[in-house]
Amino acid sequence: MQTDLNGIHALVTGGGTGIGLAVAQMLADQGCKVTITGRRAEVLDQVSGNGLFGMTMDVRDEASVNDMIENAISQRGPVQICVPNAGIAEGRALHKTDTAFWRDMMATNLDGAFLTIRACLPGMRDTDWGRVIAISSIAGLRGLPGASAYAASKHGLIGMIRSLSEEYMGQPYTFNALCPGYVDTPIVTRNQDAIAARTGMSSDAARQVMVDANRHKRLLDVSEVAAAALWLVGPGSQSINGQSIQISGGQTV
Ligand code: NDP
């Protein structure tokens, strides 16, 4: 049983910003060596250091994921904490959803998590402790009007996590999904602009739509998602497996 995270290699996709960065910094604070990935080198460079190691990687690109994770493993050892977090979120009515939009959503949010977990698992299985914490969404558990593609990708992610927890039952690895409501990150800022442009409402009113969607009527702070991830890597977490943990200010499903 792992009680000390010091020196453990963790990998967080999309770890240069938002939720991923908060989780990565929390893990580094615990003594982990944390590989953070994303497409923008300049974003990773800004936050690298103090236990964070930036690596550019596009989660939609199989060769990029395989090469970069192999490289990270050769430098820092097997990945024992894998956090598939990289994602995009954009609403679009289904009748206006073209195939390219649908494919990009799946390629990033679902294929990206599949490729990431697959590249990390062989090394993790050579160790006696591992954690996979996928960042899904409350939209992975319930329908979200005007966001069928996003919700489908996040539901799919939960299906993969639940299945992996069954596949590895009884072994020292757990697979869980965190399902946040709206969190104050660049995704929400971009959504705010998109909603305002689409509906003609003010930017503040567009933000309020997302605030009101959370049961406690405020945006979450990234630290609240990181706190749940800390619990899942901490002592006593070995029996929490295959769960989809809502972090949304109240029950929504
Ligand atoms: P951010 O936009 O800050 O984070 C998304 C991260 O994913 C960025 O660092 C981005 O880096 C990376 N990314 C996007 N596409 C790719 C790609 N093709 N390859 C590699 N990296 C990629 O927003 P959040 O922190 O909010 O989002 C993180 C996760 O949390 C997402 O999966 C999102 O769906 C989920 N989530 C967010 C909620 C919210 O309200 N904010 C609510 C529920 C879930 P780069 O652009 O440099 O590649």
Side-chain angles (χ1 to χ4, degrees):
M1 189 188 308
Q2 186 74 38
T3 53
D4 179 6
L5 297 179
N6 205 33
I8 290 280
H9 184 192
L11 179 135
V12 183
T13 65
T17 62
I19 293 169
L21 178 59
V23 171
Q25 285 172 330
M26 174 279 290
L27 291 169
D29 288 346
Q30 301 300 309
C32 293
K33 297 174 283 185
V34 190
T35 301
I36 54 170
T37 73
R39 291 164 299 179
R40 291 166 296 167
E42 68 281 10
V43 169
L44 298 170
D45 287 347
Q46 267 174 19
V47 297
S48 289
N50 297 320
L52 304 187
F53 301 85
M55 199 166 249
T56 51
M57 171 177 115
D58 188 331
V59 295
R60 297 167 298 184
D61 178 343
E62 183 170 3
S64 167
V65 174
N66 289 342
D67 292 350
M68 290 304 149
I69 292 183
E70 190 183 324
N71 190 357
I73 289 172
S74 72
Q75 293 181 39
R76 287 177 280 285
V79 175
Q80 288 185 268
I81 301 173
C82 170
V83 184
N85 160 79
I88 51 172
E90 197 185 325
R92 195 171 289 189
L94 191 74
H95 68 278
K96 292 183 182 163
T97 296
D98 58 28
T99 307
F101 179 90
W102 177 273
R103 276 291 350 130
D104 196 42
M105 192 69 76
M106 297 303 154
T108 309
N109 294 358
L110 189 52
D111 301 8
F114 152 65
L115 293 170
T116 301
I117 297 170
R118 188 181 66 175
C120 292
L121 267 181
M124 189 183 289
R125 290 171 50 173
D126 288 338
T127 73
D128 62 359
W129 184 90
R131 295 284 182 268
V132 176
I133 305 170
I135 309 302
S136 179
S137 166
I138 210 71
L141 293 166
R142 58 178 289 257
L144 188 60
S148 310
Y150 181 69
S153 71
K154 293 297 189 180
H155 274 71
L157 183 52
I158 287 174
M160 178 164 55
I161 288 296
R162 285 180 172 156
S163 301
L164 284 166
S165 76
E166 295 293 336
E167 211 167 308
Y168 286 87
M169 192 59 68
Q171 299 187 44
Y173 320 110
T174 64
F175 301 84
N176 291 290
L178 297 181
C179 302
Y182 286 107
V183 188
D184 193 2
T185 73
I187 274 187
V188 158
T189 310
R190 284 194 295 272
N191 265 342
Q192 180 178 343
D193 296 341
I195 293 170
R198 199 165 60 232
T199 61
M201 63 174 63
S202 71
S203 185
D204 284 351
R207 190 174 180 86
Q208 196 60 40
V209 169
M210 291 181 277
V211 169
D212 288 342
N214 285 347
R215 295 297 308 281
H216 53 5
K217 307 295 179 200
R218 65 169 175 81
L219 294 179
L220 294 160
D221 187 77
V222 288
S223 63
E224 297 176 88
V225 184
L230 176 60
W231 173 54
L232 291 175
V233 297
S237 59
Q238 59 274 15
S239 294
I240 305 154
N241 197 11
Q243 300 303 308
S244 312
I245 297 156
Q246 296 186 36
I247 312 170
S248 57
Q251 190 182 347
T252 60
V253 183

